[in-house]
Amino acid sequence: MSNNFVLPTPPLPLTPAEEEKLRGRLTGFKTGYDEGYLRGRLAILHGRPEEPLPVRDIHVMYVASGKGYPYSPLDEAAVAALQKLTTRVTVTDVRQNLVELAGADHPDLVIVLDGMDLPLEQINVLRGSGIRTAIWLTDDPYYTDFTLKIVLHYDYVFTLERNCIDFYKGLGCQQVHYLPFGVHREHYHPTTTRSPIQRDISFIGSAYWNRVNFFREILPDLMQYNTVINGIWWDRLPEAPQYGERIEIGKWMSPQETALAYSGSKIVINLHRSHIDEDVNNNSLGIKAVSPNPRTFEIAASGTLQLCDARDDMGNFYKPGEEIETFASPKEMMDKIRFYLTHEEERQEIVLRAYERTLKEHTYTKRLNQLLTIIYG
């Protein structure tokens, strides 16, 4: 890809002050041209309709987690996909009496998101009445001490962590399938006009201790750029007060706010949480996480370059070096930041390839179609 922008040759002679002023103007023209070119290409891809998928003549009861934000956007995405893929969807949550609802509405399939707070006897009654049941686990492997107690109550178990498949099968589950989350295009998409946010680097996420320790090592170098960190618990970072509003503390961002920040950033860092964290995890077996988190797909769908810590299963979703960039250390991350902030064409090539693949393969419509295909063939 080449945007064929050529800086004009300035007239000579110029004073040093005139040269500096002209150089600044030309750099501004080039930056604006590059951004316009990228957003134009993204707009073309964004305008393409999603591949049509078969509509199954089934009635699905979808059971939301009932936990509110940040789970509610996942519910919105799943429901929107199911409404495209089935003839009828009934939406409820774990606080309702599913047995009574099923007795009145007669669903063919009950899909439960998370399911941590759902009374298991209700699932047992539904299964006993011949209704198929499925659970889509949202936080594997971080809470497997809890999920191991509920998975055997379902006909189908879907997990977003590849390393949990054998774990659940070992418990006696007959139908365990790998189904990572995806992206809901109504939530995450590029800003196709000039972005109101202009950042070099963004990180959005909670301050788990592995993230705090990682960033502390390179924070002075990282913050030399126009870098902004958003999320909860960043008061754990002792240096945070030095950077004022550039390190935001204690705020959950909506998907729309997050997508806007992603799209207005040249680079977005994706640093996964650790499977070992005694403060917040309930993973006493220490099951290692190797699969990409939902942010992997959300960042790619927002039209920006993603720098992600290397995970074993990443290559099954994006090609490192072509559709995503990975790092194994803080130093490698900083080296790649320096490279891509000075090599705009290479950055844009990766952005466009990642966005195109995301639209083709990693939407919630594709994920829910995969779930229904597993159950119904």
Side-chain angles (χ1 to χ4, degrees):
M1 179 190 73
S2 175
N3 52 28
N4 298 318
F5 183 91
V6 179
L7 291 175
T9 303
L12 297 176
L14 295 175
T15 67
E18 290 172 331
E19 286 184 2
E20 183 176 355
K21 183 177 180 180
L22 180 59
R23 191 179 301 113
R25 289 179 61 192
L26 295 178
T27 299
F29 290 150
K30 178 67 163 62
T31 300
Y33 183 90
D34 286 341
E35 181 177 1
Y37 180 80
L38 175 62
R39 296 195 184 282
R41 293 286 300 275
L42 290 168
I44 292 171
L45 294 172
H46 183 63
R48 293 179 182 174
E50 193 167 351
E51 174 191 2
L53 293 169
V55 177
R56 290 173 170 83
D57 186 16
I58 57 173
H59 174 197
V60 175
M61 178 182 288
Y62 178 84
V63 184
S65 72
K67 294 180 177 180
Y69 196 81
Y71 292 86
S72 51
L74 304 177
D75 294 319
E76 291 177 33
V79 169
L82 287 169
Q83 288 172 338
K84 296 177 184 177
L85 297 169
T86 65
T87 52
R88 184 181 174 191
V89 180
T90 297
V91 181
T92 184
D93 63 46
V94 296
R95 295 166 295 190
Q96 309 306 313
N97 189 317
L98 302 187
V99 175
E100 290 183 2
L101 290 173
D105 290 341
H106 308 290
D108 303 296
L109 170 66
V110 173
I111 300 175
V112 177
L113 186 81
D114 179 69
M116 294 287 196
D117 299 328
L118 178 61
L120 294 174
E121 58 271 17
Q122 294 192 30
I123 293 297
N124 296 338
V125 172
L126 296 178
R127 287 183 72 184
S129 66
I131 298 172
R132 300 187 192 193
T133 60
I135 186 169
W136 198 359
L137 298 168
T138 58
D139 294 289
D140 280 340
Y142 308 110
Y143 303 116
T144 45
D145 294 348
F146 300 143
T147 58
L148 65 82
K149 300 174 184 177
I150 64 177
V151 288
L152 281 169
H153 294 262
Y154 292 84
D155 297 304
Y156 296 86
V157 177
F158 294 90
T159 174
L160 46 62
E161 173 50 54
R162 190 185 70 185
N163 267 356
C164 282
I165 296 173
D166 289 341
F167 171 62
Y168 292 135
K169 286 183 176 179
L171 296 175
C173 298
Q174 299 299 307
Q175 290 279 353
V176 185
H177 302 275
Y178 182 30
L179 192 69
F181 286 154
V183 65
H184 184 34
R185 293 183 64 183
E186 296 300 314
H187 290 164
Y188 291 93
H189 54 80
T191 303
T192 53
T193 57
R194 182 171 177 81
S195 176
I197 292 177
Q198 299 289 325
R199 299 180 184 176
D200 291 330
I201 304 161
S202 283
F203 176 81
I204 299 175
S206 301
Y208 295 109
W209 284 114
N210 70 299
R211 292 171 173 171
V212 171
N213 295 331
F214 182 95
F215 281 122
R216 286 198 74 185
E217 186 173 335
I218 41 85
L219 195 62
D221 289 339
L222 185 65
M223 301 305 282
Q224 285 181 357
Y225 301 99
N226 178 15
T227 301
V228 179
I229 296 173
N230 306 93
I232 62 172
W233 304 338
W234 283 103
D235 50 340
R236 290 177 168 181
L237 187 66
E239 296 84 357
Q242 300 176 26
Y243 300 100
E245 294 181 354
R246 294 174 63 198
I247 299 182
E248 187 178 50
I249 296 172
K251 179 186 176 184
W252 283 108
M253 295 174 66
S254 71
Q256 292 79 6
E257 289 177 297
T258 303
L260 194 64
Y262 285 162
S263 191
S265 305
K266 288 186 175 293
I267 295 172
V268 174
I269 299 169
N270 182 9
L271 180 62
H272 289 77
R273 62 189 284 189
S274 173
H275 65 283
I276 302 172
D277 189 329
E278 294 182 357
D279 285 356
V280 293
N281 290 354
N282 289 273
N283 179 21
S284 58
L285 293 177
I287 299 172
K288 183 181 179 182
V290 298
S291 299
N293 60 13
R295 290 193 186 277
T296 304
F297 310 108
E298 294 163 0
I299 294 168
S302 301
T304 187
L305 173 67
Q306 179 171 184
L307 280 181
C308 184
D309 57 320
R311 279 204 161 182
D312 294 350
D313 205 34
M314 185 64 70
N316 288 319
F317 300 91
Y318 297 103
K319 294 179 181 178
E322 295 184 25
E323 298 166 329
I324 196 171
E325 271 292 358
T326 60
F327 57 85
S329 68
K331 180 182 182 303
E332 184 180 8
M333 187 189 78
M334 289 306 307
D335 288 343
K336 290 188 175 182
I337 284 174
R338 295 184 188 100
F339 177 83
Y340 284 108
L341 288 181
T342 55
H343 292 75
E344 180 64 15
E345 188 167 316
E346 289 85 346
R347 187 186 77 87
Q348 290 191 12
E349 287 175 354
I350 294 178
V351 169
L352 291 166
R353 284 193 290 261
Y355 184 58
E356 188 164 18
R357 183 164 184 185
T358 302
L359 297 188
K360 287 181 178 179
E361 299 181 14
H362 302 315
T363 65
Y364 273 97
T365 309
K366 295 292 175 66
R367 297 288 194 260
L368 268 299
N369 182 64
Q370 184 180 347
L371 181 149
L372 294 173
T373 300
I374 288 169
I375 296 175
Y376 289 100

